[in-house]
Amino acid sequence: MRLVGSEHQPRLRSVVSYVKRGGRMTAGQQRAWERLWPSWGRAVSDLPEGPIDFAEWFGRQAPVVLEIGSGMGEATSQLAAAAPEVNYVAVEVYEAGLGQLMLRAEQLGVENLRLLHGDAVVLLTHHVAPESLSAVRIFYPDPWPKKRHHKRRLVEPSFVSLVASRMEPGATLHLATDWEDYAEQMLDVCSAEPTLRNRYDGWAPRPDFRPVTKFEHRARGEGRESRDLIFEKLP
């Protein structure tokens, strides 16, 4: 998976890190979507040209945290609820996941969350201003475990370079995975990005603020250890 183009206007990769999956929303997810999507959500494909004005969308100026791949929202809803002082943005390709995230967030009384439906690379390339994000989180991206599918993995050099260009100095890139070889790939790729530095000597201690989800519990039961990485944008 590669981005081809100039530093300021990279072209989109020809191999994406996800596949289109079917599956309808549950009745609860659909109701949450109907209530909340008009104010909380936007489709990446429908965004006007240029960067999103996050301050206008949230109705306030605050640090912007972007989570890439929020899944079914178990961790995302808790993370947003625990940090009401930030503008929390989640981008996800699966509508049912976004519906479930809205359902969870509403139950927690979350107000500082906005959602984007679509490809994170398109979002970052065309709709996020350089040096505008205070943190980026990528938790348990699809590991594509078969070797022939490794090219589909999200965390690769061009993508990390793009992410880093959208982070403000001092911002953090926090990754987590339970696949050992993918963790090693993440470490190698992020360490090679000249605008980032590892906050730790290798793996980061597991942060208390990252919720232990059902997904992580299952990985533990299957003998897979989760590893965290936290990199910081250099001045």
Side-chain angles (χ1 to χ4, degrees):
M1 162 175 47
R2 294 185 302 167
L3 295 173
V4 181
S6 71
E7 177 183 355
H8 300 290
Q9 193 68 20
R11 294 180 185 175
L12 302 185
R13 66 207 189 285
S14 58
V15 179
V16 297
S17 60
Y18 57 89
V19 293
K20 294 290 185 181
R21 294 189 182 126
R24 300 174 64 180
M25 292 190 197
T26 65
Q29 291 166 357
Q30 184 64 46
R31 287 194 296 269
W33 187 283
E34 292 168 358
R35 285 195 308 274
L36 300 171
W37 186 257
S39 56
W40 284 18
R42 295 178 182 176
V44 173
S45 60
D46 293 338
L47 293 173
E49 291 186 11
I52 298 169
D53 185 342
F54 288 112
E56 185 276 333
W57 194 9
F58 281 87
R60 66 174 187 174
Q61 191 76 42
V64 178
V65 175
L66 174 66
E67 183 174 338
I68 297 172
S70 52
M72 299 303 287
E74 184 180 0
T76 309
S77 56
Q78 296 179 58
L79 289 165
E85 72 281 3
V86 307
N87 290 343
Y88 207 102
V89 181
V91 56
E92 173 59 57
V93 295
Y94 305 119
E95 289 186 351
L98 290 167
Q100 186 64 29
L101 170 53
M102 286 188 283
L103 195 59
R104 295 178 191 273
E106 185 179 40
Q107 291 169 349
L108 293 173
V110 171
E111 298 181 353
N112 62 319
L113 179 66
R114 300 292 183 269
L115 310 178
L116 288 152
H117 177 225
D119 190 324
V121 174
V122 177
L123 173 69
L124 288 163
T125 302
H126 297 294
H127 303 295
V128 176
E131 298 192 347
S132 63
L133 303 176
S134 65
V136 178
R137 294 168 175 171
I138 308 173
F139 298 150
Y140 300 93
D142 195 325
W144 293 101
K146 294 180 180 179
K147 190 170 182 179
R148 69 177 184 272
H149 291 154
H150 284 187
K151 63 186 177 182
R152 289 188 175 274
R153 286 177 168 176
L154 180 66
V155 182
E156 49 81 48
S158 296
F159 176 73
V160 170
S161 178
L162 174 61
V163 170
S165 73
R166 271 43 180 174
M167 294 164 56
E168 63 186 17
T172 55
L173 171 60
H174 183 181
L175 307 101
T177 183
D178 58 312
W179 286 86
E180 183 176 3
D181 71 312
Y182 199 6
E184 295 284 356
Q185 177 180 327
M186 290 176 172
L187 178 58
D188 290 344
V189 169
C190 292
S191 297
E193 169 52 47
T195 64
L196 299 176
R197 72 170 183 88
N198 196 340
R199 280 192 168 179
Y200 298 90
D201 183 15
W203 314 117
R206 191 196 187 287
D208 292 336
F209 68 80
R210 184 168 68 76
V212 180
T213 63
K214 293 178 181 178
F215 185 90
E216 187 172 353
H217 276 300
R218 184 169 69 248
R220 289 178 180 177
E222 294 172 356
R224 295 194 306 277
E225 175 188 357
S226 290
R227 292 174 172 85
D228 287 76
L229 288 166
I230 301 178
F231 280 75
E232 181 178 305
K233 177 74 174 287
L234 294 170

